[in-house]
Amino acid sequence: MSGILRLATSSSARTVLKPSAGLLRSAGLHRHALQQSSKPNITASSSSKLFSRPSRAALFPASSIAQQRAAYHDDGAYGYRVPKVYSMPDYTPEELANRVDNANLLRLVIGYRTHGHLAADLDPLDIVKRQKVLALDAERYALTDDAKSYNLSGILHVNQSKSSAEAKEEASLKTIVAHLEKSYCGKIAYEFMHIPNASERRWFAHQVESYQKPPITPDDKQRIFELLTKSEVFDHFMGKKFAQVKRYGLEGAESMMVALDALFQTASKAGVTEAVLGMPHRGRLNLLTDLMQYNPTALFSKVKGNPEFPINLPASGDVLSHIANSPKLDYGEAEPIHVSMLHNPSHLEAVNPVAMGKARAKQMDLIANSSPECQLGDKVMCVQLHGDAAFTGQGVVMESLGLSNLPHFTSGGSVHIVVNNQIGYTTPAQNARSSVYSSDIGKMINAPVIHVNGDHPEEVVHAMRLAFEYRNKFRKDVILDLIAYRRWGHNELDEPAFTQPLMYNNIRARKSVPKMYEEKLLAENVITKSAIDEFRQDYFEKLEDDFSEIDSFKPEADHLQDKWKGMILPTETVSRLDTGVSKEAMTKIAQASVAAPSDFEIHPRLEKFHVQSRLKKLKDGQSIDWATAEAIAFGSLLKEGYDVRICGQDVGRGTFSQRHAMLVDQKTERVHIPLNAMSESQGHLEVANSSLSELAVLAFETGMSYETPKMLNIWEAQFGDFFNSAQVTIDTYVSSAETKWLRQSGLVMLLPHGYDGAGPEHSSCRIERWLQMTNDSFDVKDPSIKANTNMHVVNPTTPAQYFHLLRRQMKRDFRKPLIVVGPKTLLRLPTATSSLEDMAPGTTFEPVLGDAKTEEDPSSVEKVLFVSGKLYYDLIKERQTKGADEKVAIVRVEELSPFPKEGLKQQIETYSGAKEFTWIQEEPQNGGAYSFMEPRIRQLLPENKPLGYIGRDPSAAPATGIAVVHRKESADILAKAFRL
Ligand SMILES: Cc1ncc(C[n+]2csc(CCOP(=O)(O)OP(=O)(O)O)c2C)c(N)n1
């Protein structure tokens, strides 16, 4: 059989269309167009009936959606790159004719390609029984004569190379079936027939059927042996030394080590120099201490309860299974591959989009700094490891997969490895998912899946190499489903037989994967028993040595390196910083922010209300609105060499149609981002309109921000409250990454907020929750306590304040997440505008804004209102109506956390004669900033002067949905405010 089916070893036998990206772009061509161009002439004799009318493919080309997407809003916009194109040509007329003539054989082959995985030998435990798949029964296709010879051309991927004496294009049915069985129903199985792109399906089939697998060399065998055996020795060592520690060992799934090593090695060979790795707990310590080069002594020291950082650093640390390391792995290629492993929280799968964001940031960096030929994914690769239960159960997986191929989110495809031990804690597969495979979620993006039996490490290497090849050819996600088992309970202290007695009888009777592999190598005479014993012994002793060094071990800091050099760990907050820009520069930037090429047709309403209106306001430098201030802030940072990325749903236009950072040509839908056209040397603005996801998208931006200290990363919620869909990321990354892992992030979150009658879900960004998540001190009197909060929470009331905040975010020498309670109605409120003067040199963000009206004669003030946000504008209007201008001072608290104690102290001193001090807010009493402000402001007030409260009553829903009630509540607040 091998003679007959020594099939094509490479795609060289076929024409590979690989036009350069630039050529494609300029010609306005896309993958679809290229594929169509190679359509064969179909001979009338073979197929006149079949093809007498236009084919469905011609009517509904598979790639038309991708094509539309590429044309709309992407191509030409910064951050978009034409994806790598790899295409296999269609069948030749002769092949098509043969497919018709031998249609029954073709049906059998398709049966194997589609359903072969169900009959494959994938499960070491045999829980997943091999099925008798009817579609694989040749007789059902009237193929009954084993000896009959068939022409395979166009049916099985036969080599066209007639020059090869061994390659034949015909084979007997018996040989064909044997080959199909071997290809599709062995220890590796494939799911690729769901891929909508015919070229990809053909490529895959070609690889599986005719691919001469790169051999597993003796060196490879040695490497596999070492990885497996070290993993097992490590687990045994840990079990011996730390019997009471939950380490989530790898026993049963040691092939994970082999898979990762094969992946990094193959990727390195292909030129990948940066890999970003997100993974959960299972086998993490095995991986860390071996492949990821984490010092075992550091790990043992941590297990003993010592910190992972130098003791003097302001970090609270994290548990063992969240530690990370980022080594450079040298596989003997020109450059080593840098594997950047991310810290992860316990929330399974939450790390995935963070890893994707970090990979994308690395990708963008490479694009900026390498030749235009450098394509997405050439040098960067995201690797995501998953547990089988988590991969199928966690919603973030779906959201993240949804981002994988989007223009402003792709980094050229992630390689997913499901470390499938067939159980989640105590939950077996039948209770864990409604799908056949854990990997089935990947089909939502049509990712191919390669299942492999984890008991066969060499097969794992083959499977991994193929997975990488697919990713490398098509720059899309691919999934390796590594089917294994878990030798112990969920952790080593658990008894798995409480819930899975039969499964664990089976497991306990099994030889370990490393042992079985050692036996295989012994049988092959590749290694001797004494070499194996010695290797085990040596590694155990090495771990003993590492262990003995715990007492003298001093952890080293690994933060603020590489791109972060020059940044500091802050010890106190810097709120005020001269972030002004010259009026001349601001005017130019603002003008540039609405400029478009002469042949560009802007929507007439935008031309009038956006472009002309902005230009007019610039003339007198007054009435600068929020969107203009934001554009100037962006533009000024770009001019100073920073990059800016704004991401979220519909951010290009802006939820409230205020931003228009990207203009769309009315004739062609071409996109223009005016701020990217200011000068050659400026930074870039990436306008990343996102999918309708908060959790994955926010996490993605968070991941980016870890890689981009020189980029203003902004995520905007459509309405402020939608952030809560991303709460996992906020709790485990945004608010706590710095203290847990010393990882800073300058992420800005824009959260439109305000009680304008929009109802329970569009009014509140839950200020109270953000404040509760900060670590601001409750003691505001002790001057020795310096505010250095984990996040800054601000509620600016003027465009100038917002402008300064955005600039401050980049101008400081440290990074902190900035939570902006953002405007909605204020975006168009004429009084909520600023002048260029307010943003000129010498100006700054003011944490507290005093009352210009009452400051002249503070002695006549009877009541001081502390307010934050848009209510301020209602208050000043009402005060005027009530004629209370001298009696009531209105003090704006613009920065909520860190608590602006100096500014507020000053205000309280100014109005020391006032009778009443009141916190006023439009939110319910259990919401807004009240519960945060009250205990703090109280400490600053004179003795016996309490802090009053005016606002909505406590409420379960953040706001009413009844307009009349809303208006009454608002009126009551205003009435109470000026009741003296
Ligand atoms: C979001 C989330 N929910 C629940 C848990 C608790 N938990 C920890 S591990 C685990 C089982 C995970 O199973 P699987 O994904 O198959 O990975 P394995 O531990 O088997 O490698 C569960 C439910 C968690 N860590 N995260």
Side-chain angles (χ1 to χ4, degrees):
M1 141 182 167
S2 62
I4 293 175
L5 290 168
R6 185 148 307 156
L7 309 173
T9 55
S10 80
S11 55
S12 59
R14 300 205 179 259
T15 319
V16 176
L17 295 177
K18 196 183 166 191
S20 85
L23 199 72
L24 264 180
R25 218 185 348 240
S26 60
L29 289 176
H30 295 277
R31 192 182 320 188
H32 162 62
L34 287 163
Q35 284 170 356
Q36 292 301 300
S37 68
S38 61
K39 225 174 151 192
N41 289 324
I42 295 152
T43 54
S45 66
S46 66
S47 48
S48 58
K49 279 192 198 122
L50 283 173
F51 297 98
S52 57
R53 56 201 165 93
S55 72
R56 192 174 158 73
L59 290 172
F60 306 106
S63 55
S64 63
I65 293 169
Q67 187 185 354
Q68 281 164 17
R69 192 179 62 192
Y72 185 66
H73 289 181
D74 301 320
D75 202 354
Y78 176 75
Y80 177 77
R81 276 234 156 170
V82 177
K84 183 172 173 173
V85 176
Y86 181 87
S87 189
M88 291 184 77
D90 202 350
Y91 298 104
T92 63
E94 294 76 30
E95 286 171 334
L96 280 172
N98 188 43
R99 284 162 70 88
V100 173
D101 292 346
N102 286 309
N104 279 351
L105 179 66
L106 176 63
R107 289 170 67 200
L108 177 68
V109 171
I110 290 174
Y112 270 94
R113 288 175 185 162
T114 313
H115 305 293
H117 59 93
L118 293 171
D121 178 14
L122 297 175
D123 180 5
L125 301 182
D126 228 10
I127 297 171
V128 183
K129 296 275 180 257
R130 301 177 76 167
Q131 294 180 26
K132 177 160 174 44
V133 182
L134 298 178
L136 311 185
D137 181 358
E139 282 190 22
R140 288 172 76 95
Y141 307 103
L143 302 170
T144 49
D145 182 356
D146 273 359
K148 185 171 172 191
S149 187
Y150 289 88
N151 181 347
L152 303 178
S153 174
I155 294 176
L156 270 173
H157 279 275
V158 186
N159 195 351
Q160 283 182 333
S161 148
K162 297 206 173 76
S163 57
S164 161
E166 287 170 334
K168 293 181 184 146
E169 292 189 351
E170 292 205 346
S172 69
L173 177 63
K174 190 171 175 208
T175 308
I176 291 168
V177 170
H179 179 65
L180 288 168
E181 277 290 320
K182 188 165 170 249
S183 299
Y184 287 105
C185 304
K187 307 273 189 273
I188 310 180
Y190 312 88
E191 291 185 90
F192 62 92
M193 290 298 276
H194 56 277
I195 301 177
N197 183 302
S199 184
E200 286 181 38
R201 285 197 305 276
R202 272 203 295 282
W203 179 87
F204 222 107
H206 190 121
Q207 297 301 307
V208 177
E209 292 157 14
S210 60
Y211 178 63
Q212 279 190 343
K213 296 168 180 164
I216 306 288
T217 64
D219 278 355
D220 292 335
K221 287 176 191 266
Q222 176 72 23
R223 179 84 180 140
I224 295 170
F225 154 69
E226 287 180 7
L227 287 162
L228 294 174
T229 301
K230 276 161 91 177
S231 180
E232 186 169 64
V233 172
F234 175 81
D235 272 324
H236 290 173
F237 182 87
M238 292 294 282
K240 191 171 158 222
K241 292 285 179 199
F242 307 105
Q244 294 309 310
V245 167
K246 298 176 184 176
R247 63 193 141 85
Y248 311 106
L250 193 56
E251 285 163 276
E254 286 94 341
S255 291
M256 178 192 97
M257 301 290 290
V258 175
L260 278 171
D261 186 57
L263 175 62
F264 294 140
Q265 185 179 33
T266 320
S268 180
K269 206 169 176 182
V272 174
T273 54
E274 291 284 341
V276 179
L277 173 64
M279 73 175 289
H281 52 285
R282 181 71 53 207
R284 193 175 174 106
L285 305 187
N286 308 56
L287 184 69
L288 268 170
T289 47
D290 187 5
L291 206 52
M292 299 300 288
Q293 300 174 5
Y294 190 74
N295 181 353
T297 309
L299 190 93
F300 301 147
S301 166
K302 173 73 187 161
V303 184
K304 286 244 166 182
N306 299 316
E308 60 270 40
F309 307 110
I311 196 80
N312 59 327
L313 288 175
S316 60
D318 202 348
V319 297
L320 204 55
S321 54
H322 299 170
I323 287 173
N325 203 31
S326 297
K328 287 192 169 161
L329 306 184
D330 188 352
Y331 286 100
E333 304 300 329
E335 261 190 78
I337 178 168
H338 176 210
V339 183
S340 205
M341 186 188 199
L342 279 159
H343 295 277
N344 61 312
S346 288
H347 293 66
L348 294 167
E349 307 290 333
V351 69
N352 307 346
V354 183
M356 290 167 71
K358 192 173 165 91
R360 167 80 185 181
K362 282 181 183 281
Q363 178 65 69
M364 295 309 289
D365 207 40
L366 277 168
I367 282 181
N369 297 310
S370 57
S371 80
E373 300 311 311
C374 178
Q375 294 190 312
L376 285 172
D378 274 358
K379 294 190 168 178
V380 174
M381 173 177 71
C382 182
V383 183
Q384 301 178 37
L385 262 59
H386 316 275
D388 51 305
F391 194 49
T392 202
Q394 289 294 304
V396 67
V397 173
M398 172 266 172
E399 290 191 26
S400 312
L401 289 171
L403 295 181
S404 64
N405 210 10
L406 296 185
H408 295 276
F409 297 84
T410 174
S411 57
S414 289
V415 176
H416 302 263
I417 303 176
V418 182
V419 181
N420 184 349
N421 56 23
Q422 311 195 60
I423 190 161
Y425 220 123
T426 70
T427 308
Q430 67 266 28
N431 291 10
R433 58 179 183 259
S434 297
S435 57
V436 176
Y437 296 111
S438 163
S439 54
D440 281 349
I441 180 73
K443 289 184 186 157
M444 71 167 266
I445 54 161
N446 302 310
V449 181
I450 305 175
H451 306 280
V452 60
N453 187 324
D455 260 5
H456 299 270
E458 291 184 8
E459 298 293 332
V460 172
V461 172
H462 287 307
M464 193 76 257
R465 286 174 180 168
L466 179 59
F468 177 78
E469 277 308 314
Y470 171 84
R471 185 267 178 196
N472 209 31
K473 277 275 179 304
F474 298 102
R475 300 296 152 91
K476 291 186 192 164
D477 286 31
V478 60
I479 300 173
L480 182 88
D481 180 20
L482 175 65
I483 304 178
Y485 60 91
R486 187 187 72 193
R487 180 157 291 277
W488 309 110
H490 172 62
N491 59 62
E492 293 67 22
L493 312 183
D494 264 357
E495 173 49 69
F498 288 158
T499 47
Q500 271 78 28
L502 299 184
M503 183 184 193
Y504 274 81
N505 276 345
N506 181 349
I507 290 172
R508 281 177 187 136
R510 297 185 65 77
K511 273 189 194 153
S512 75
V513 181
K515 289 263 163 54
M516 285 200 311
Y517 192 66
E518 286 167 6
E519 284 177 10
K520 175 176 153 60
L521 296 193
L522 282 171
E524 289 174 10
N525 282 329
V526 174
I527 199 163
T528 61
K529 176 84 175 71
S530 62
I532 292 171
D533 292 344
E534 200 179 322
F535 185 82
R536 283 181 171 267
Q537 182 70 20
D538 284 356
Y539 194 57
F540 199 90
E541 280 168 14
K542 182 206 168 297
L543 293 173
E544 281 283 9
D545 289 349
D546 294 330
F547 184 81
S548 68
E549 285 166 16
I550 295 178
D551 290 341
S552 58
F553 176 73
K554 297 260 172 304
E556 281 172 23
D558 68 346
H559 61 290
L560 301 179
Q561 291 177 358
D562 303 324
K563 291 175 187 162
W564 287 84
K565 286 223 166 81
M567 292 282 157
I568 60 153
L569 273 181
T571 49
E572 62 182 297
T573 290
V574 179
S575 281
R576 304 177 84 248
L577 201 70
D578 182 350
T579 36
V581 175
S582 84
K583 282 204 240 172
E584 197 191 3
M586 285 196 283
T587 308
K588 277 196 184 141
I589 292 165
Q591 285 165 345
S593 74
V594 287
S598 53
D599 64 341
F600 198 90
E601 193 178 309
I602 298 175
H603 191 282
R605 285 220 319 269
L606 274 191
E607 178 63 37
K608 187 167 171 200
F609 297 111
H610 180 68
V611 178
Q612 294 309 325
S613 148
R614 182 168 291 179
L615 294 175
K616 205 163 126 211
K617 285 172 190 167
L618 287 171
K619 279 208 177 111
D620 55 7
Q622 300 297 320
S623 308
I624 302 296
D625 57 35
W626 292 76
T628 306
E630 180 186 81
I632 300 173
F634 288 179
S636 62
L637 290 170
L638 295 173
K639 283 210 147 183
E640 289 166 41
Y642 298 99
D643 291 321
V644 178
R645 172 173 154 115
I646 182 156
C647 172
Q649 294 145 29
D650 315 293
V651 291
R653 187 201 76 164
T655 297
F656 309 97
S657 197
Q658 83 284 13
R659 181 170 292 124
H660 300 288
M662 56 171 232
L663 300 171
V664 180
D665 187 298
Q666 296 301 300
K667 294 191 301 285
T668 62
E669 288 194 345
R670 178 160 60 112
V671 163
H672 176 63
I673 298 181
L675 282 176
N676 278 337
M678 291 186 298
S679 78
E680 281 289 304
S681 57
Q682 66 169 88
H684 284 105
L685 169 63
E686 184 168 17
V687 179
N689 286 323
S690 79
S691 68
L692 210 169
S693 143
E694 285 80 25
L695 177 52
V697 172
L698 177 74
F700 188 97
E701 297 308 304
T702 305
M704 275 205 126
S705 70
Y706 296 141
E707 191 65 27
T708 53
K710 297 273 168 56
M711 180 195 272
L712 181 67
N713 267 105
I714 301 175
W715 178 78
E716 182 174 67
Q718 191 117 71
F719 285 92
D721 43 0
F722 295 125
F723 82 81
N724 53 22
S725 299
Q727 193 68 56
V728 170
T729 301
I730 293 160
D731 287 351
T732 61
Y733 286 95
V734 179
S735 63
S736 57
E738 186 177 2
T739 185
K740 289 192 294 190
W741 312 315
L742 293 169
R743 293 295 176 266
Q744 292 188 16
S745 158
L747 181 73
V748 178
M749 292 178 65
L750 299 182
L751 308 174
H753 171 96
Y755 280 61
D756 46 18
E761 269 81 63
H762 288 82
S763 299
S764 172
C765 76
R766 305 279 194 167
I767 296 171
E768 63 280 7
R769 293 203 191 148
W770 291 102
L771 294 173
Q772 186 256 335
M773 268 186 284
T774 69
N775 61 349
D776 225 348
S777 170
F778 279 77
D779 185 343
V780 300
K781 280 195 149 165
D782 182 349
S784 70
I785 301 176
K786 303 275 179 225
N788 178 24
T789 53
N790 51 338
M791 303 183 285
H792 287 214
V793 185
V794 296
N795 192 0
T797 53
T798 71
Q801 288 277 78
Y802 175 50
F803 163 90
H804 287 300
L805 282 167
L806 292 177
R807 285 185 50 76
R808 184 184 80 173
Q809 197 65 358
M810 288 290 98
K811 306 303 279 180
R812 298 194 284 212
D813 55 1
F814 59 86
R815 297 288 177 254
K816 288 274 180 194
L818 175 70
I819 316 303
V820 182
V821 179
K824 293 192 291 175
T825 52
L826 292 194
L827 290 170
R828 293 194 169 80
L829 187 73
T831 44
T833 54
S834 299
S835 65
L836 288 179
E837 196 68 48
D838 298 331
M839 305 187 281
T843 57
T844 175
F845 170 73
E846 295 287 354
V848 174
L849 289 175
D851 188 334
K853 273 244 156 73
T854 52
E855 265 166 10
E856 281 168 23
D857 180 14
S859 61
S860 56
V861 167
E862 294 177 22
K863 184 173 185 177
V864 179
L865 295 175
F866 297 108
V867 66
S868 189
K870 91 172 203 327
L871 180 61
Y872 164 77
Y873 291 98
D874 298 330
L875 289 175
I876 45 172
K877 205 166 141 203
E878 184 73 4
R879 181 172 69 176
Q880 206 180 12
T881 313
K882 290 260 161 73
D885 275 0
E886 284 99 56
K887 292 186 185 150
V888 180
I890 304 171
V891 172
R892 279 175 279 175
V893 184
E894 303 272 300
E895 187 156 57
L896 300 167
S897 178
F899 178 71
K901 64 177 172 185
E902 293 311 323
L904 284 172
K905 215 155 93 188
Q906 213 180 359
Q907 291 294 324
I908 290 167
E909 274 162 22
T910 305
Y911 302 108
S912 56
K915 284 189 261 172
E916 277 181 64
F917 292 88
T918 296
W919 179 264
I920 184 165
Q921 65 179 28
E922 48 182 7
E923 296 84 5
Q925 193 166 14
N926 57 327
Y930 176 64
S931 52
F932 178 88
M933 288 293 162
E934 198 279 333
R936 292 173 173 82
I937 294 182
R938 195 188 334 130
Q939 295 173 53
L940 302 178
L941 290 175
E943 294 269 325
N944 71 35
K945 284 209 174 141
L947 182 71
Y949 169 77
I950 299 174
R952 285 178 165 79
D953 289 339
S955 168
T960 177
I962 303 163
V964 174
V965 176
H966 167 76
R967 285 199 289 272
K968 178 165 181 331
E969 287 173 349
S970 305
D972 284 353
I973 289 171
L974 291 180
K976 281 183 198 159
F978 298 100
R979 204 171 286 154
L980 294 168

